Each structure stands twice: as structure tokens, then as C-alpha cells.
Amino acid sequence: MSAPRDRLIVALDVPNVDEAKALIDRLGDSVGVYKIGLELLFSGGFALAQDLARQGHSVFVDAKLLDIEATVERATAVIAASGAAFLTVHALDRKTIAAAVRGRGDSRLKLLGVTVLTNLSRADLAEHGIDEAPLAVVQRRAMMARDGGFDGVIASGQEARALRERLRQILIVTPGIRPAGADTQDQARVMTPSAAIKAGADYLVVGRPITRAADPRAAAEAIVAEIAASLPK
Ligand code: C5P
């Protein structure tokens, strides 16, 4: 598959485009993919995504789409036309999945399903009318996403291992990564880069351990080195 560096996705969780650009300047070519989430998307981040894609960067639009089919299809088509490499869509039902796949058309956009947000417990799922353990729901939705034509799913490190045992061919993108000894901040269940790769993750999403480091580039390079050392030879 891709080089170790291409497996590192940096979350540009900053409030505006100027801060994002300053961070990108510092990171240079030390990371493979830049992730733009809701905060930055609504403060000029989509234009930044288009610029970065034009400059040849790999961009992850973390829009977590969910709406009626026509809207999901058309929004996906606009994002695909931006040159983005990855887009998140809630993988809740076959209609939504099919709409995103139609919207992608023959572009190179990779569709990633959000199965169960990791902040949701079994009690929260009960509020959705679901009486199942989160992992069972994650597995069912991941299979539905794969069968519907998605490329991968977002999954915590713990879920990655269980998913990888059942779904060999799907891309697994894992957030909640903390190098050994790093501050966990608000992440409840974290994994080191090495443990996540060994659990079956293809890509790691890393935010604050890089973006808030005194030397973001050095922090990114250390994670890439850890990824490289953990990949099967
Ligand atoms: O700073 P940190 O490394 O915790 O950032 C992780 C990134 O991954 C954030 O952009 C966050 O929104 C995203 N994410 C997550 N947990 C999920 C899904 C996405 O932390 N389950």
C-alpha cells in the first residue's frame, strides 16, 4: 500500500484559514493527508481544501454528511469536484450510502462511513431505539457501507481490531491516537500509533499531539517513524 507518511492524517482543528495555513507551512511534506472538519469548513475551510488539492495535497473533508438522498448526492459531487481524497458520510442506511456513491461518480474520492460516533454509549443508542452493543452496530454498519461501495470506515483502535478480523478489504481510519506519554486530553480510549497499526488501522488521524506540539513537524515525523516500524515487513 502507501508509504508510511501517507498513512498519517493531520486534523487541522483550528478556527480559521490563517491558522491552518501557518500549521501547514510548519508541517511541510511531513504528513500525507490534511483533514478539514466542521469548524474549519464553516470558516473558509472548503476553499482551503480546494487550494490544497490543486497544489497536489491529499485532503480529507470531514463533513459527516447525512440528509435526503438528492442532497447527499449533490453535496458529494461538489466535494468530489474539489479534488478531495476522502469524505465522511454517516453510514446509517443503504439509501444514504448509495446516494454518496452516485455523487462520487468516477472521481477518485474515497468514501468513509461513520458507523457509531465514539462518544455514544449503549444507553445513547437506546435513545435512538437501538438495543445492541455499540460494537455490534459498528460491525453491521461497516458491512453495509462496504457492500454499498464505500472504501472504508472511521473506527476507534478497539473497534479496528474487531472489524479487521471480519472485513479484510475495507480501509480503517482510526482517530484517538496518542504517542506513548502524550496528554490524552478529552479522548477516553486512546492507542499509540504502533498499537493502532498493529490492530489493523490503515490510516491514523492525529490532531493535538501534532498541532499543539512545540515542534509540529518533529512530532509528525516521530509518528511516521513509529508507523513505519509497525507495518508488516
Ligand atoms: O486532537 P485529537 O488527536 O484528539 O483529534 C482527533 C480528530 O479526530 C479530531 O478532528 C476529532 O474530531 C476526530 N475524531 C475523533 N474521534 C472520533 C471521530 C473523529 O477524535 N471517533
Side-chain angles (χ1 to χ4, degrees), residues 11 13 35 62 64 117-118 154 175-178 185-187 205-209:
D13 294 329
K35 180 172 93 70
D62 192 6
K64 297 190 176 71
L117 289 170
T118 46
I154 310 296
I177 301 297
R178 292 293 179 271
Q185 284 116 355
D186 54 359
Q187 296 281 13
V205 177
V206 186
R208 289 161 291 181

Side-chain angles (χ1 to χ4, degrees), residues 22-92:
L23 197 50
I24 292 163
D25 281 347
R26 292 191 74 180
L27 288 166
D29 58 4
S30 60
V31 307
V33 186
Y34 289 109
K35 180 172 93 70
I36 301 184
L38 293 176
E39 179 187 15
L40 188 55
L41 277 174
F42 289 114
S43 52
F46 192 60
L48 175 67
Q50 291 169 309
D51 287 346
L52 289 172
R54 261 195 298 273
Q55 292 160 20
H57 291 287
S58 188
V59 182
F60 181 141
V61 176
D62 192 6
K64 297 190 176 71
L65 295 182
L66 179 62
D67 209 310
I68 62 168
E69 292 143 272
T71 305
V72 168
E73 180 176 342
R74 283 155 55 185
T76 303
V78 170
I79 294 163
S82 76
F86 299 92
L87 167 67
T88 46
V89 178
H90 283 281
L92 292 187

Side-chain angles (χ1 to χ4, degrees), residues 8 10 23 27 31 206-213 215-216 219-220 223:
L8 175 59
V10 172
L23 197 50
L27 288 166
V31 307
V206 186
R208 289 161 291 181
I210 292 174
T211 60
R212 300 214 183 148
D215 184 345
I223 292 173

